[in-house]
Amino acid sequence: MTQQTILPILNEARLAQLDFPYSKVIEVVENAFRSLHHPDSANPLKVIMTPQDGRSIAYSMAGRDAASNTVGFKVVYEYDPDRSRNQYQFYSFIFLCDDATGHPVALMDVKELGPMRTSATSALFAKYAVHSDAKNALVVGTGVQGQIALPMLITALPQLTHLTVHGSYQAGLEAVQQKLKEHHPQRQVAVSQDLEASVRQADVILAVTGLSAKENIKYEWLKPGAVVILVGYGIEKPVLHRADRLLTTDAEQMKVTGDDLLDENDKLPAVDATLTEILNGEKPARTHPDEIIFVYNSGMIITDVALGRAVADFAITQENVEEVTLW
């Protein structure tokens, strides 16, 4: 008789109960990027689908993290992504398997996982790209990504002492303040009333707004040495095309997901360095204190796999999973 295979399930509610440290999130994500060049690691490009009227976007990714011997399959479906129909819906999950034993690790919701690994990636970029006397950080956007951005950034860069958030929704602004208080109770975040004035003061800027962004950051507002990290929207194209250096998670993936940033000749600037090259000491993030640096942070499946495995293992040790038999 074939032995039944048990599949641990981690839904959104169970993941929200876990106290998985942000310092550990950054460590796991960094190790995944460092091991990206390993022959057993794989990070294929996204498969993206959207209908002509733009009512939805769906994408899938498969990847392998050599550091943890884990294979993952991620699926995301988003309806009404630009919030124009008042019918927004979002569904996502990742299925993980241990490639040393052949057994499934977990089936997990990634609504929380995705923003955590993305914010950790942004924090790593900032850690290596900001100039040594950087003190001011600005987050533009107050969604899930915006709420996690500052606590993760401060975990990686405690030298940042002046924190500001700019957003359009009061509930989101309050959530940003609450999330920072939970993770760094000694820190405070100011609410920006003037985007231009806040940008002019910022050493590092995280643009994490959605498609419905009402304001866009202009190149002329940036101070010398500023680092601009794009995760969502909210930045005008010239910021990318006039920046002194371009950093990204993956140059080929940027070509797939960054088509909204193409210039009038349908071109993107050449990438100066990827995060893996920076972490492994192959290329510098910055070569001059006054360089304006643009960072394109696109989600990498290898970080979903690595972080998903670490969180799943943590949840299992905490006995905070549901188990089902599918096979």
Side-chain angles (χ1 to χ4, degrees):
M1 183 176 180
T2 303
Q3 184 178 359
Q4 289 184 327
T5 302
I6 302 298
L7 177 64
I9 301 290
L10 274 164
N11 62 17
E12 182 182 353
R14 289 182 181 273
L15 286 170
Q17 295 170 1
L18 295 177
D19 187 19
F20 195 77
Y22 280 3
S23 59
K24 184 64 176 178
V25 175
I26 294 172
E27 177 187 332
V28 171
V29 170
E30 180 171 354
N31 287 338
F33 274 106
R34 287 184 182 276
S35 67
L36 188 56
H37 290 336
H38 190 285
D40 285 343
S41 285
N43 194 88
L45 299 180
K46 292 180 180 179
V47 176
I48 303 176
M49 301 178 295
T50 186
Q52 290 185 351
D53 65 3
R55 66 181 178 274
S56 68
I57 183 169
Y59 60 87
S60 63
M61 296 179 285
R64 189 182 192 285
D65 173 42
S68 61
N69 269 330
T70 307
V71 174
F73 307 88
K74 179 179 176 181
V75 175
V76 176
Y77 175 74
E78 193 171 5
Y79 187 81
D80 190 20
D82 62 0
R83 314 302 202 273
S84 62
R85 295 170 169 81
N86 293 319
Q87 298 178 27
Y88 181 73
Q89 297 186 65
F90 180 92
Y91 305 100
S92 60
F93 67 86
I94 188 168
F95 174 51
L96 302 169
C97 291
D98 188 311
D99 205 29
T101 66
H103 296 304
V105 174
L107 179 68
M108 303 171 60
D109 176 84
V110 294
K111 187 176 181 180
E112 295 288 335
L113 192 72
M116 280 200 299
R117 58 90 158 129
T118 301
S119 292
T121 301
S122 293
L124 287 168
F125 270 119
K127 180 179 179 179
Y128 287 87
V130 298
H131 51 77
S132 58
D133 60 347
K135 300 294 183 185
N136 294 275
L138 169 66
V139 170
V140 183
T142 62
V144 176
Q145 192 67 247
Q147 294 164 25
I148 296 177
L150 280 175
M152 197 75 74
L153 189 62
I154 297 306
T155 301
L157 271 171
Q159 73 184 73
L160 297 172
T161 54
H162 296 80
L163 312 176
T164 307
V165 60
H166 186 89
S168 304
Y169 303 102
Q170 184 61 35
L173 293 169
E174 293 173 359
V176 169
Q177 294 172 312
Q178 180 60 34
K179 183 66 72 171
L180 182 65
K181 184 177 180 180
E182 289 174 9
H183 291 270
H184 301 281
Q186 76 282 10
R187 301 297 188 100
Q188 293 184 336
V189 54
V191 175
S192 164
Q193 303 296 330
D194 184 330
L195 180 59
E196 179 180 350
S198 299
V199 170
R200 289 186 180 278
Q201 296 295 318
D203 297 301
V204 56
I205 301 163
L206 280 74
V208 296
T209 61
L211 277 168
S212 58
K214 297 179 175 62
E215 299 175 273
N216 291 312
I217 295 168
K218 301 179 184 296
Y219 178 83
E220 291 77 16
W221 300 350
L222 301 172
K223 65 190 290 189
V227 177
V228 184
I229 302 173
L230 179 63
V231 175
Y233 300 87
I235 296 179
E236 291 190 349
K237 289 184 184 181
V239 177
L240 164 63
H241 293 277
R242 295 176 63 184
D244 298 301
R245 285 179 70 77
L246 170 59
L247 313 179
T248 188
T249 43
D250 184 272
E252 292 304 312
Q253 185 153 292
M254 183 176 179
K255 295 176 183 177
V256 174
T257 60
D259 57 351
D260 58 321
L261 295 171
L262 297 172
D263 65 13
E264 62 275 8
N265 298 314
D266 291 333
K267 300 289 185 182
L268 290 170
V271 172
D272 293 291
T274 65
L275 183 54
T276 295
E277 291 170 332
I278 294 166
L279 293 174
N280 289 336
E282 299 166 21
K283 293 182 179 179
R286 174 181 293 278
T287 61
H288 190 278
D290 289 341
E291 287 177 326
I292 290 177
I293 297 176
F294 185 97
V295 176
Y296 184 78
N297 181 356
S298 178
M300 300 279 281
I301 183 60
I302 194 171
T303 59
D304 290 287
V305 173
L307 183 58
R309 178 62 188 267
V311 171
D313 287 347
F314 180 78
I316 291 169
T317 62
Q318 299 293 310
E319 298 183 349
N320 195 18
V321 298
E322 178 184 357
E323 295 183 339
V324 299
T325 304
L326 292 184
W327 303 281

